[in-house]
């Protein structure tokens, strides 16, 4: 079947199988920042924005995304908020292998649009679905708090 | 591996139902959440996202939520933030992750009667009705005991009343399914509702304990009664003995919170 996805503001017609998930289609189209991790809806490395809201691309049928706007991290590359978030993470040593970073950054980006000045508890709750095997979350939390403090 | 032969996005619930009953192997899909974990064949996956069932509205004393509304939309609704002292938001925010809640729908959560569901446990104590396209409107507790397979959850109706509620759970970590959960509520006439879920069977009301509290104030005894009238099972999360032991503790905590 043929679907139309608007990926990072570019409309694309894609031939898919009804059994395919969005993650696999995005990776097939070379959006390699969208990572394949647990593939069960748990780890958050496959996070993309669908119509501006963070979703797990491993848990959405590609057919269900037909007609929607998909944003991967490549799509916010020129957004100043992307620089601010990634700089905060770098300054605090909050990413090591970097595998979780695209999903984490997209979720922080979405949180910034939804919550103006989140508390530490709100940050933790919002990011609970972004697992990181390297940092132990302490430098990540420090970086994200710093990002929101500067933003405020 | 999930194998889907065909995908269909109807424009109306009528159209969706017609396909559901006439095509063998047709299924309503919530969105795809957790579908990857399943190993089955679906001849026709019916996606309800264009059927107009995505809404949260307040009509008189009823909160109406469309069956295809993602949990994330419910969580962000100003109506839901206002009612039951914001406690429903607390329940929703304890369900898995933001990313999953933006996918998982109300219908996809309630219709399969998932045993691990936190939302079903909470909704049971809030005088909730489900509206099915074919079988009509019925209380949630009745729906949970019915064997309805081919139907569409069109709407959830929650009575907006002055009811205090509490939701309690036991988990290995915040980001996990509940080993056991319990919800308690009380209205101004001291009509209590108590439910226990993730036993690991789907939640149900503790009717004997609810009846007991009409004429008694002993919450310790009511908690014991509620725990005793449930059946428990074992799974990878916990044994039935463990669940049975923590059940009265969760109910008591809930009762203490709503009585305060």
């Amino acid at each position: 079947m043929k679907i139309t996805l608007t990926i990072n503001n570019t409309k694309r017609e894609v031939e898919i199988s009804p059994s395919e998930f969005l993650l696999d289609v995005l990776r097939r189209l070379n959006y390699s920042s969208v990572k394949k991790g647990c593939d069960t809806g748990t780890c958050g490395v496959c996070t993309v924005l669908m119509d501006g809201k963070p979703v797990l691309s491993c848990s959405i049928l590609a057919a269900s995304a037909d007609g929607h706007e998909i944003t991967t991290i490549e799509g916010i590359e020129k957004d100043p908020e992307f620089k601010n978030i990634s700089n905060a993470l770098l300054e605090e040593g909050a990413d090591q292998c970097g595998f979780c970073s695209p999903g984490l950054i997209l979720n922080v980006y979405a949180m910034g649009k939804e919550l103006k000045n989140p508390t530490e508890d709100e940050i933790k709750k919002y990011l609970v679905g972004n697992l990181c095997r390297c940092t132990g979350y302490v430098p990540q939390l420090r970086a994200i708090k710093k990002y929101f403090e500067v933003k405020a | 591996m999930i194998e889907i032969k065909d995908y269909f996005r109807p424009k109306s619930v009528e159209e969706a139902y017609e396909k559901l009953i006439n095509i063998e192997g047709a299924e309503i899909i919530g969105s795809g959440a957790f579908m990857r974990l399943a190993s089955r064949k679906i001849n026709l996956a019916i996606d309800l996202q264009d059927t107009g069932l995505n809404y949260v509205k307040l009509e008189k004393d009823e909160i109406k939520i469309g069956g295809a509304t993602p949990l994330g939309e419910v969580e962000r609704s100003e109506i839901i933030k206002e009612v039951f002292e914001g406690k429903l938001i607390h329940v929703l925010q304890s369900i898995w992750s933001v990313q999953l809640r933006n996918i998982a729908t109300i219908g996809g959560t309630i219709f399969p009667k998932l045993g691990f569901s936190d939302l079903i446990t909470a909704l049971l104590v809030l005088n909730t009705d489900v509206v099915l396209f074919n079988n009509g409107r019925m209380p949630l507790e009745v729906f949970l005991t019915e064997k309805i397979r081919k139907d569409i959850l069109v709407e959830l109706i929650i009575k907006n009343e002055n009811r205090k509620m509490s939701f309690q759970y036991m988990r290995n970590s915040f980001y996990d399914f509940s080993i056991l959960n319990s919800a308690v509520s009380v209205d101004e006439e001291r009509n209590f509702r108590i439910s226990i879920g993730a036993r690991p069977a789907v939640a149900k009301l503790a009717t004997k304990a609810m009846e007991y509290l009409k004429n008694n104030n002993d919450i310790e005894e009511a908690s014991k009664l509620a725990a005793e009238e449930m059946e428990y099972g074992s799974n990878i999360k916990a044994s039935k003995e463990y669940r049975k032991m923590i059940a009265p503790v969760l109910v008591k905590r809930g009762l203490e919170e709503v009585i305060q």
Side-chain angles (χ1 to χ4, degrees):
Chain A
M1 66 181 285
K2 199 170 262 184
I3 61 165
T4 305
L5 297 173
T6 303
I7 310 171
N8 302 332
N9 294 320
T10 305
K11 207 170 244 189
R12 295 188 70 159
E13 283 207 342
V14 194
E15 190 66 38
I16 60 150
S17 139
S19 305
E20 266 189 296
F21 284 81
L22 181 60
L23 166 65
D24 303 308
V25 171
L26 289 171
R27 288 193 62 84
R28 183 151 58 77
L29 296 172
N30 290 326
Y31 293 96
S32 54
S33 70
V34 190
K35 304 297 183 203
K36 191 164 186 160
C38 70
D39 217 10
T40 61
T42 307
C43 74
V45 298
C46 68
T47 299
V48 296
L49 306 182
M50 189 158 97
D51 303 329
K53 300 281 183 300
V55 295
L56 299 164
S57 62
C58 78
S59 301
I60 289 189
L61 284 174
S64 291
D66 185 18
H68 291 278
E69 286 192 15
I70 307 297
T71 309
T72 70
I73 202 152
E74 291 92 340
I76 60 165
E77 202 180 7
K78 292 191 173 71
D79 191 315
E81 292 306 319
F82 165 74
K83 274 268 171 259
N84 296 340
I85 299 165
S86 51
N87 281 344
L89 291 170
L90 283 170
E91 281 164 20
E92 294 298 329
D95 62 350
Q96 288 180 31
C97 80
F99 195 73
C100 70
S101 302
L104 175 71
I105 292 171
L106 278 170
N107 214 16
V108 174
Y109 181 83
M111 177 168 47
K113 302 269 178 206
E114 202 177 317
L115 309 172
K116 288 302 151 215
N117 200 7
T119 61
E120 185 174 320
D121 192 45
E122 284 172 327
I123 293 172
K124 283 180 180 172
K125 275 186 179 168
Y126 206 98
L127 300 177
V128 75
N130 290 86
L131 303 187
C132 170
R133 300 301 298 270
C134 304
T135 66
Y137 306 105
V138 175
Q140 286 190 347
L141 184 61
R142 207 165 51 220
I144 294 157
K145 277 169 74 178
K146 194 171 157 184
Y147 160 70
F148 278 107
E149 276 163 22
V150 173
K151 194 173 152 75
Chain B
M1 279 285 285
I2 189 94
E3 199 182 316
I4 300 168
K5 207 171 157 195
D6 215 348
Y7 169 90
F8 176 57
R9 202 187 283 184
K11 296 280 177 220
S12 68
V13 188
E14 290 79 6
E15 210 183 341
Y17 185 71
E18 193 268 322
K19 295 279 186 198
L20 180 68
I21 54 162
N22 290 320
I23 295 177
E24 203 183 323
E27 283 187 30
I28 304 290
I29 54 154
S31 61
F34 296 127
M35 271 181 72
R36 195 186 270 273
L37 304 180
S39 180
R40 63 178 200 273
K41 285 183 181 174
I42 298 174
N43 277 339
L44 184 69
I46 304 168
D47 186 336
L48 300 175
Q49 64 174 285
D50 288 346
T51 54
L53 297 182
N54 184 344
Y55 57 82
V56 180
K57 57 190 178 187
L58 186 61
E59 285 181 358
K60 294 180 185 167
D61 63 343
E62 293 182 333
I63 303 152
K64 297 184 172 180
I65 308 174
T69 314
L71 300 183
E73 292 289 320
V74 182
E75 178 188 340
R76 287 185 288 272
S77 157
E78 291 302 321
I79 293 167
I80 301 298
K81 281 178 192 165
E82 293 291 317
V83 296
F84 307 115
E85 300 169 324
K87 288 284 169 67
L88 253 183
I89 301 290
H90 160 70
V91 178
L92 287 158
Q93 287 181 340
S94 67
I95 300 170
W96 215 240
S97 63
V98 168
Q99 296 99 310
L100 189 90
R101 296 198 297 274
N102 282 333
I103 303 171
T105 60
I106 284 289
T109 307
I110 309 293
F111 194 83
K113 304 169 186 170
L114 302 171
F116 58 77
S117 172
D118 292 318
L119 192 58
I120 291 177
T121 307
L123 291 173
L124 268 177
V125 301
L126 290 180
N127 283 318
T128 304
D129 286 353
V130 296
V131 181
L132 301 173
F133 181 76
N134 186 44
N135 284 278
R137 181 172 175 168
M138 65 184 79
L140 175 60
E141 56 267 37
V142 174
F143 167 72
L144 293 174
T145 60
E146 295 281 327
K147 285 188 176 131
I148 299 168
R149 289 209 57 215
K150 292 269 179 185
D151 210 336
I152 297 171
L153 196 152
V154 176
E155 195 173 66
L156 206 64
I157 301 176
I158 306 168
K159 193 172 181 196
N160 184 22
E161 56 189 338
N162 198 1
R163 186 169 274 277
K164 276 188 157 191
M165 81 169 285
S166 168
F167 176 69
Q168 306 287 328
Y169 56 78
M170 172 68 93
R171 293 179 189 174
N172 285 326
S173 73
F174 178 77
Y175 187 38
D176 200 352
F177 294 118
S178 296
I179 289 171
L180 194 84
N181 58 35
S182 171
V184 167
S185 76
V186 63
D187 67 10
E188 286 164 321
E189 276 83 47
R190 280 184 63 88
N191 290 310
F192 284 87
R193 288 174 75 90
I194 302 168
S195 68
I196 304 178
R199 310 184 321 276
V202 71
K204 70 175 189 179
L205 289 172
T207 49
K208 285 179 193 162
M210 285 156 54
E211 194 60 38
Y212 172 82
L213 282 168
K214 280 184 179 168
N215 304 308
N216 299 279
N217 293 322
D218 187 345
I219 59 168
E220 186 100 34
E221 185 59 24
S223 307
K224 276 186 200 160
L225 277 174
E228 277 165 13
E229 64 181 287
M230 299 282 157
E231 325 78 47
Y232 303 86
S234 301
N235 65 358
I236 195 169
K237 295 253 166 256
S239 67
K240 71 175 185 182
E241 290 79 10
Y242 183 71
R243 287 190 163 98
K244 198 172 182 178
M245 283 184 79
I246 59 174
V249 180
L250 295 190
V251 175
K252 191 181 165 195
R253 284 180 192 165
L255 285 169
E256 282 172 346
E257 191 179 320
V258 298
I259 285 168
Q260 264 179 5

